[in-house]
Every structure is written in structure tokens, then in C-alpha cells.
Amino acid sequence: MRTTARQNHVEDNGQALVGARMRQFRKERGLTLRGLATRSGLSIGFLSQVERGISAIGLTALNGVAAALDRPVAEFFHTDDEAAPPPAPTDDLPDHFTLTRAQNGATEYVSGQVTYRMLSDRGPHLVLEPMVVHIAPGGRREEAYGHAGEEFAYVVSGELLYEVDGIEHRLFPGDSLHLRSSTPHRLYNDTDGVTTVVSVVTPRLF
């Protein structure tokens, strides 16, 4: 599958919005890029590229930035005039599980070449974040990043380069990878088609 002009437009808009919101929240906190880099564990150069819309940032790395700025991750994907989608109601279910119906649709977040589709409603005592991730080809490689928790990826279609602690691993359909997320890692699609991955991370990002 090849990306279309419309897909590229959506990806570029999502990337620019995330960067603009990051700059806005950083300035509201009175932080310099150096201060944000110190708090988030990401480099000044990379954060500068994200703010200018040159580079995309992965969801787990964005979670570190959001924590440093004391903001929910969802706020980076919505303008001031656009409300973030409310969490799905779970009052009719016990708090130890959720049930997500396909017909109810799913919340999606776009950052650069990557679209994250949430697979689970919120549960107050649940820690996993399951997602279907669509990674379009091209774009800049994000900075390798380590964070608390664990990460699992299963390739459904396409190919994926997954770098763990400086070593690249090429994953094909049916391949999976599971790591302690404190190890610096990053992923990249160097093919000419969209790669689809089922990903589960901890802790929850939203």
C-alpha cells in the first residue's frame, strides 16, 4: 500500500500540531528547550525539530514530554477550539475490565508518519495500552528513547526496522518484539508501503 496525497496532508498536519502544542505548553511553563530536554531525557536538537514540525515524535517519547510539561498526552493532538474525545463510560462494567465494541469506533492520534488507533477503553486499574499502529514510509527517524515500562510489537503487514540499544532488527509479518522500555529504542519504516503493527505498552499513555 502506498501513501496518498491526502494521507501525507493528514500526517503533516498532525506533526505540525503536536510541535506547535509542545512549544505552546513549554512557553506556558516558562521552560527553555534545554530545560525541557533535561526533564524529558530527549535532546535539545530533536525537541527543536519536533517543535518546528521537521521531525515527528513517537507516542511514548511524547508521553515523557507531556509528563515534563504536566499535560495529558491527548492535549497535544487537539487545538484550543477542539475538545479532546472524552473517555468512554465504564460505569456499567466492573473496574477490572473493559469491553470495546468495533461498531463504537476508536480514537486515533496522528503524529508525522504514524497513526495510533486505540484498542481499549479506559479502565481505572488497568495498565496496558493496546493499539494498532499504522506507520507510513519515509519521514525522519525519531531519536532513540528509553522510558519506564514494557513494550510489545507484532507486525501484521509490511516490514519494520526496530532498533534496540543501537542494534537494528528487521521485523516481517508474524514477527514480534518484546522489551523492557528503559532500553533506548526506536522504530522506522524504510519500505515504500504502510506497515501495520499491533502494539502494547505500559504504562498507559492516555
Side-chain angles (χ1 to χ4, degrees):
M1 180 189 300
R2 295 181 181 274
T3 55
T4 65
R6 182 179 180 278
Q7 285 175 313
N8 287 332
H9 178 69
V10 170
E11 290 153 3
D12 290 343
N13 284 348
Q15 182 172 311
L17 176 58
V18 169
R21 297 292 275 173
M22 184 184 298
R23 180 187 295 109
Q24 174 190 338
F25 297 152
R26 175 177 62 79
K27 290 185 175 181
E28 288 175 357
R29 294 283 292 182
L31 282 176
T32 63
L33 277 172
R34 183 179 299 279
L36 181 56
T38 299
R39 292 189 179 197
S40 66
L42 296 164
S43 72
I44 297 173
F46 176 67
L47 292 172
S48 175
Q49 289 180 341
V50 173
E51 286 195 356
R52 289 180 288 149
I54 297 173
S55 290
I57 183 170
L59 205 54
T60 51
L62 181 60
N63 189 52
V65 171
L69 296 173
D70 196 27
R71 291 278 187 167
V73 172
E75 289 190 6
F76 288 78
F77 295 92
H78 302 278
T79 65
D80 292 326
D81 298 328
E82 185 181 17
T90 56
D91 295 341
D92 57 338
L93 292 176
D95 62 9
H96 59 271
F97 84 100
T98 67
L99 177 62
T100 306
R101 298 291 188 184
Q103 63 266 27
N104 292 341
T107 302
E108 291 189 349
Y109 301 95
V110 179
S111 178
Q113 309 301 111
V114 185
T115 301
Y116 304 91
R117 182 176 185 269
M118 302 296 106
L119 291 180
S120 171
D121 294 331
R122 307 300 85 179
H125 301 297
L126 303 177
V127 298
L128 300 179
E129 186 78 270
M131 303 172 282
V132 170
V133 185
H134 302 288
I135 308 162
R140 292 175 180 262
R141 298 194 187 206
E142 66 179 68
E143 188 171 287
Y145 179 70
H147 56 92
E150 296 183 33
E151 191 162 325
F152 172 83
Y154 174 85
V155 178
V156 177
S157 62
E159 299 177 18
L160 184 66
L161 276 181
Y162 213 119
E163 180 184 309
V164 181
D165 205 15
I167 300 175
E168 286 187 347
H169 307 272
R170 184 173 293 275
L171 278 62
F172 299 93
D175 292 344
S176 62
L177 186 147
H178 185 183
L179 75 152
R180 191 178 298 279
S181 304
S182 55
T183 304
H185 57 282
R186 61 179 174 176
L187 50 85
Y188 185 70
N189 178 4
D190 65 346
T191 71
D192 62 355
V194 176
T195 296
T196 299
V197 178
V198 172
S199 178
V200 182
V201 301
T202 63
R204 297 208 81 151
L205 304 172
F206 295 93

